[in-house]
Each structure stands twice: as structure tokens, then as C-alpha cells.
Amino acid sequence: MKALQIRRSVIKFGAARILGAVSPSGATKVGPLELRHVDDPDCPGDRWHRVRTRLAGICGSDLSLVGGHASTYFDDWVSFPFVPGHEVVGELESGERIVLEPVLGHAARHTPLPFDGARPADGDDYAHLTTTSPNGIEPAIQTGFCCSTGGGWAPWFWAHESQLHRIDDSMPDERAVLVEPFAGGIHAALMAAPALAGVSDPVVAVLGAGTMGLAAVAGLKRYVPGVRVIVGARYPHQRAIALALGADVAVAASELDRAVRREAGCHMIGTGESGALSGGAHVTIDAVGSSASIADCLRVTRPRGRIVLLGMPAQIDLDLTGLWHREIELKGAYTYGTETLDDGTVTNTFDLAIETVNAVQAEQLLTATYPLADHVEAIDHAATAGRRGAVKIAFDLRDAT
């Protein structure tokens, strides 16, 4: 079949990194991503399903990889060559439509679950992700980074039963393709909740309003009772969508400190990059993941507050004196899994995400779709989404053969 594939090439990754600073489309043309004929992956065994891709989203981690900016941390967590694509709505041979929970967890790898009913990303030992499993699955954190399974940027791929969430006919593909990123944003929102226990009038700031930041806003307003959400977003259309999803205040990213100061009733100490609020938000969700965004979060989070790092960082340069002095907790939010809600209900993030995308009609965030053949234009659109008034870009393979 013809698919988009990434092969290991230091030269291509380096060329993409250099050119990506000025031209995302140029980086895609010279980088490691290529549209080519690939061998069909072998079925890994029982309880694996052949999934025909309908829509597959382009996410920030994909852009980092294609642009040569992905951290070398993940070198041992992927298996080359691989077909990207983990934000997927697909169709089984039975005709049932599914959304993919992409982590290749214990069940998919024929290893014992960490506890009964565990979701693919649950557990506190990741050894199973970095070794070839008993059923021959090569190392990979998830579908879209594994040579054994294929990925969503292809006409079809293999997925284990534990990864599948069946959806009904009332959910359009354009909504379903947002389930995976919404699961990530909701997981980050729920990671804010423990830091708000016992707090009256809790304030959570969200910096960044791409797909993940907007998903976090929706999750906060649905699943964290009584929270006031202050959003800092670079572009006007992002601020408008944040308000539509329930944010109480949405301002330009450069104005977030002032907005939090007004909400918290605190003072500004110092000026410029060295300035910080005397108090601030109880929790700040960083949906950007850059040196500058983490520094901004440190400035607006109150002493002994929490920062949830939702945006994927790489190598950063950061003065952590404020983290130390203010005793702020910095917590990563990578994926999804088993969740406990405020009322004690135990559920999983994907069920919450399916509920949320239906409630907010998340297809409003899907700006454009492209065939695989137009991948250079698609990647460029996704990489420049904010300034072009876009949010989510996806590949459409519904007519692929």
C-alpha cells in the first residue's frame, strides 16, 4: 500500500531541523517523511483487528518529528521505519467505526496488566514499551511510532482489541477524530484537580489554545467543579473558541499575567522576565511546552501551586529559581488512562473524551482535511494553523483504495 513513512536518517532529520525554522513545507520536502509504497504489516496475532483509516489527525508531536525537532529521549521508544498517525477514526472489517486509543499497552503486548481493568497507558513501569514483546511487537510508545503495527497515515493498520473504542452512527468522523486529543487535554485537566482540593474559588490558568489547550478548557469546565478558567491565547479565533467552550476569561497570551492578577487579587513583583505575581493561579496548564511558556507559567502560578505540562517540550533553557523559591510542583501530562472524578466515579479518559466531543460538537475545531498525496500542504497548514485561523488539520483517507 502507499503510505506516509518515516525512516531513520540523521541527514534528513538534520536537514528538516535547519529548514523548518523558516519553512515547514520545505522541511517536509527534505525531511524523513516520505509518501512511498510500504509492505503490508503482518497480523500480530489473536484479538488484533485490521483498521481502515477514515480520518487521521496531525498533532504537535507529529510536527516536531517531521520538522526534525523531536527529542532524542524518544530514540529508544520508537521502531523504524514507521507510519505516523495516532489520532484516528477508522473502520473495522465488520463495518463498525472505532476511535483508537493508541498506546500499545500490556494487553497488546501479551504482558500482565498492572491491575484489573487497566487501560493501555496505565502502570508505573514502562519496560514493556521498550522491548520486543512475546507476540513480536517491536518497541514503541504507541501506534504511529511502531514498525509492527502501521499507523493512521496509511489506508489501514493493525490495532489490538484493547485499543478500540466503538462509536455509534450519530458521531460524525469529523468529531470522532478529535477524541484522542481531547482525551489528552481532559487528562491534563483532571491532573489539576488534586491541587484544588479544599480550595474555595479555585483559579486555573491555561496558556496556549491549540487543540490540546482547548480540550483542557473543555475538560476543566466539565469535570472540575467550581473552577474559574483563565485562558491566554495568541490568536483571536483561539480566544473565541475558548470562551465558547466555557472559559471565564480569554486574553492574549501576553496579557495572561494581568488577567490572573485581576482574578486572584494579588500583586506584580518586579518587571519584565524577572517579574512574578505575589500569588496567582492555583494551577496553570501549559499547553505550549516551550522555554518561554514554562517561564510564563512560573510567573503566574501561586506559591505551592501546580503547573501541568501538557504541551510536549524538548530541550529547554529555563531558570528554575522561581520553581524552587515558590515551591511550585511541575507535573507532566503525557497521555490518558484510568481516571477518578470528583464524586469518586472511576472511569477512563476516552469515555470522558467521547462524552465531551459530543457535548461540545468538537468538529468545529477541524479546519481542513487533505489526502495523503497532499501531505506537504497538510503539514504546512498544521504547522502554521494559528496564524491561518485554523485549529486541527487531518488526513482524509475515506476514498483511499
Side-chain angles (χ1 to χ4, degrees), residues 6 86 102 106 165 213 240 290 325:
I6 288 181
H86 60 275
H106 296 81
H165 294 264
S290 67
H325 175 243

Side-chain angles (χ1 to χ4, degrees), residues 169-217:
D169 293 340
S170 65
M171 181 185 287
D173 291 336
E174 292 79 5
R175 182 182 302 170
V177 77
L178 272 299
V179 169
E180 193 278 342
F182 263 69
I186 290 168
H187 180 64
L190 292 174
M191 292 182 78
L196 305 177
V199 174
S200 59
D201 304 319
V203 175
V204 175
V206 178
L207 178 57
T211 307
M212 299 295 282
L214 293 169
V217 170

Side-chain angles (χ1 to χ4, degrees), residues 226-244:
V227 69
R228 283 188 61 80
V229 178
I230 315 300
V231 177
R234 186 173 182 181
Y235 299 102
H237 74 284
Q238 296 173 332
R239 299 194 285 273
I241 297 172
L243 291 171

Side-chain angles (χ1 to χ4, degrees), residues 315-328:
Q315 184 172 335
I316 61 171
D317 182 9
L318 185 64
D319 183 350
L320 291 176
T321 306
L323 182 82
W324 166 77
H325 175 243
R326 296 161 74 85
E327 298 186 352
I328 292 172

Side-chain angles (χ1 to χ4, degrees), residues 55-56 58 365-370 378 381 390-396:
L55 295 177
I58 303 170
L365 305 187
L366 182 62
T367 306
T369 61
Y370 292 83
H381 198 170
V391 181
K392 174 58 65 178
I393 309 299
F395 289 112
D396 188 341

Side-chain angles (χ1 to χ4, degrees), residues 285-348:
I285 297 177
D286 182 352
V288 180
S290 67
S291 298
S293 67
I294 298 173
D296 286 342
C297 290
L298 287 171
R299 296 173 63 236
V300 303
T301 304
R302 68 178 53 202
R304 284 166 286 283
R306 173 179 289 189
I307 296 171
V308 178
L309 186 56
L310 172 59
M312 186 182 78
Q315 184 172 335
I316 61 171
D317 182 9
L318 185 64
D319 183 350
L320 291 176
T321 306
L323 182 82
W324 166 77
H325 175 243
R326 296 161 74 85
E327 298 186 352
I328 292 172
E329 179 184 16
L330 179 62
K331 196 167 183 68
Y334 163 62
T335 181
Y336 13 72
T338 300
E339 309 282 8
T340 301
L341 302 183
D342 181 70
D343 63 1
T345 299
V346 178
T347 183
N348 72 80

Side-chain angles (χ1 to χ4, degrees), residues 27-49:
T28 305
K29 291 176 182 176
V30 303
L33 183 72
E34 295 184 51
L35 182 63
R36 56 160 55 96
H37 288 282
V38 302
D39 294 335
D40 291 348
D42 294 331
C43 179
D46 295 339
R47 302 188 71 215
W48 286 83
H49 298 263

